[in-house]
Amino acid sequence: MKRENHTKWSNSIVLRFTMVLLLTISLSWYGVFAQDVIPEKAKRDYNSGPVYSSSAMEKLMRFIAVSSPMPSAFKDTTENVIIDPEGTLDVFWEKLSIMERPVRIVHIGDSHVRGHVFPYKMRKLLEEDFGDEAVIDYNISYKTTGIAHETGRSGIVYHIMGVNGATCESFNKTERIKEISSLNPDLIILSFGTNEAHGRNYRAAQHRIQMAGLIGELKKECKEAEFLITTPPGAYIKSGKRNRIINVRTPLVVRTEKDFAQENGIAVWDLYDVVGGEKFACRNWSAAGMYQRDKIHFTRDGYSLQGLLLHEAFIKAYNDYVATKIY
């Protein structure tokens, strides 16, 4: 009798254990097949605003405010931007955003650069934006050098190297190339075209060869440098002894420079079209009283405006780059 009771008790325990085991297995299988699989990484919520990391917020704070200096009286102006569809200046913008050392710009060109007003305006504005600790402050004039004196600290270093009457071909001299490379540029700005357009026998094909020669030599000697071409502002030429007419070769020079830049992956700032292009560039400068008597060179106000416009386009491009780093 006792053995029979013991057997019944044992069978009851086994039955209960079996039921618990079966219930556990069924629940686990139910969890596998009845529930959605939890993703390893949650999908992004596009309906909510972005949540920035501390480093992204730091970069966000590096946006630089800039406003348009374009005179309201200027007609037929276009958007003031640097044209760089391939992002060739991204390496330079990154150096600028980090600013771990001196970031050097060398601005070369003709008499518009040699006057030291247009590029000096740009230099001082960039020092305000990114810091002037990298250079010793001193006043620049036509009689002084445009080469900055470095301190070795982090910040913007903006060297100015212009030559009266220069073309891109005349700048392609061994001593010039060595002088530029000795400055260790991160960005080289090339401002030519006015003197090319004054040549009565101007040929676009020859101009392209000359640009390729200069930039090719600079690339060989300045391994870390990116490039930015700027088009000429527009000028008049003599017609007879006293009259002057708009130089009709300037649009061809501008088109050649822009085509060359596009085909060779080089950024370009098209000052000519920004201020009115073939129809209004020269008329806008003239109506504003910003030409000197020769209607080739500009007054201080005219060159200052060019510096302000270059700065606006430069900062807009930089801000665009910073934005891509956040998103």
Side-chain angles (χ1 to χ4, degrees):
M1 185 68 180
K2 289 183 179 180
R3 183 178 181 83
E4 183 178 348
N5 290 336
H6 178 73
T7 301
K8 289 181 178 180
W9 181 81
S10 298
N11 290 339
S12 176
I13 293 296
V14 171
L15 179 62
R16 290 179 182 180
F17 176 78
T18 302
M19 291 178 65
V20 170
L21 180 61
L22 291 173
L23 180 61
T24 302
I25 293 173
S26 64
L27 287 174
S28 64
W29 278 95
Y30 176 79
V32 171
F33 291 103
Q35 294 182 347
D36 293 333
V37 177
I38 299 175
E40 294 182 3
K41 184 177 180 181
K43 293 182 179 179
R44 181 176 176 181
D45 180 8
Y46 289 96
N47 297 316
S48 302
V51 178
Y52 301 113
S53 65
S54 58
S55 60
M57 280 301 296
E58 183 181 352
K59 287 187 178 294
L60 180 62
M61 296 304 291
R62 291 182 184 174
F63 282 120
I64 296 171
V66 66
S67 58
S68 174
M70 186 72 73
S72 59
F74 274 29
K75 298 178 181 179
D76 211 28
T77 60
T78 60
E79 186 180 4
N80 184 21
V81 295
I82 288 174
I83 303 168
D84 186 21
E86 296 183 17
T88 62
L89 295 181
D90 285 358
V91 173
F92 175 74
W93 301 135
E94 181 66 15
K95 293 176 183 177
L96 204 58
S97 68
I98 296 173
M99 196 63 77
E100 294 178 332
R101 58 167 179 79
V103 177
R104 301 176 179 90
I105 299 172
V106 179
H107 193 159
I108 66 174
D110 51 31
S111 55
H112 299 313
V113 176
R114 174 64 184 88
H116 290 170
V117 179
F118 157 44
Y120 186 59
K121 188 72 173 181
M122 175 69 164
R123 175 199 281 187
K124 298 305 291 182
L125 289 169
L126 291 184
E127 287 176 359
E128 291 177 12
D129 296 330
F130 298 100
D132 60 0
E133 295 84 2
V135 294
I136 298 172
D137 186 35
Y138 68 96
N139 291 326
I140 298 291
S141 72
Y142 186 80
K143 297 180 179 180
T144 68
T145 178
I147 303 302
H149 302 314
E150 296 193 34
T151 64
R153 300 175 66 182
S154 298
I156 279 288
V157 178
Y158 197 110
H159 298 293
I160 302 167
M161 193 183 299
V163 177
N164 290 337
T167 63
C168 60
E169 181 186 30
S170 67
F171 229 90
N172 189 9
K173 307 297 182 185
T174 301
E175 61 274 14
R176 295 277 181 213
I177 302 299
K178 287 184 177 179
E179 187 177 4
I180 295 167
S181 65
S182 70
L183 299 172
N184 300 310
D186 297 291
L187 173 66
I188 299 175
I189 302 176
L190 303 95
S191 296
F192 298 98
T194 295
N195 294 307
E196 280 87 345
H198 270 70
R200 294 184 181 277
N201 296 319
Y202 174 79
R203 297 288 184 273
Q206 184 180 16
H207 186 191
R208 294 164 73 95
I209 293 171
Q210 293 166 354
M211 285 191 287
L214 174 58
I215 293 176
E217 289 301 314
L218 288 171
K219 283 185 174 181
K220 284 194 291 186
E221 298 297 326
C222 307
K223 303 293 186 183
E224 301 297 320
E226 310 303 328
F227 295 85
L228 172 63
I229 293 173
T230 79
T231 63
Y236 288 74
I237 56 174
K238 288 183 179 181
S239 177
K241 292 184 177 181
R242 296 185 178 181
N243 294 329
R244 287 182 173 83
I245 59 173
I246 294 173
N247 189 343
V248 296
R249 288 184 291 273
T250 303
L252 178 56
V253 168
V254 171
R255 194 176 309 118
T256 301
E257 291 181 343
K258 290 174 67 176
D259 288 346
F260 176 85
Q262 181 180 8
E263 293 165 10
N264 290 275
I266 299 172
V268 62
W269 177 56
D270 184 10
L271 171 61
Y272 185 66
D273 285 321
V274 164
V275 297
E278 183 173 358
K279 187 174 181 180
F280 279 108
C282 291
R283 291 182 175 91
N284 285 335
W285 292 121
S286 185
M290 291 183 176
Y291 275 121
Q292 293 185 26
R293 290 181 63 183
D294 62 7
K295 289 202 169 184
I296 297 172
H297 300 95
F298 292 80
T299 63
R300 177 169 290 273
D301 286 344
Y303 281 130
S304 293
L305 177 57
Q306 292 174 30
L308 288 167
L309 288 168
L310 176 56
H311 174 257
E312 180 198 7
F314 186 96
I315 294 303
K316 285 163 69 174
Y318 170 79
N319 284 343
D320 285 346
Y321 174 77
V322 172
T324 64
K325 298 292 286 183
I326 295 173
Y327 294 102

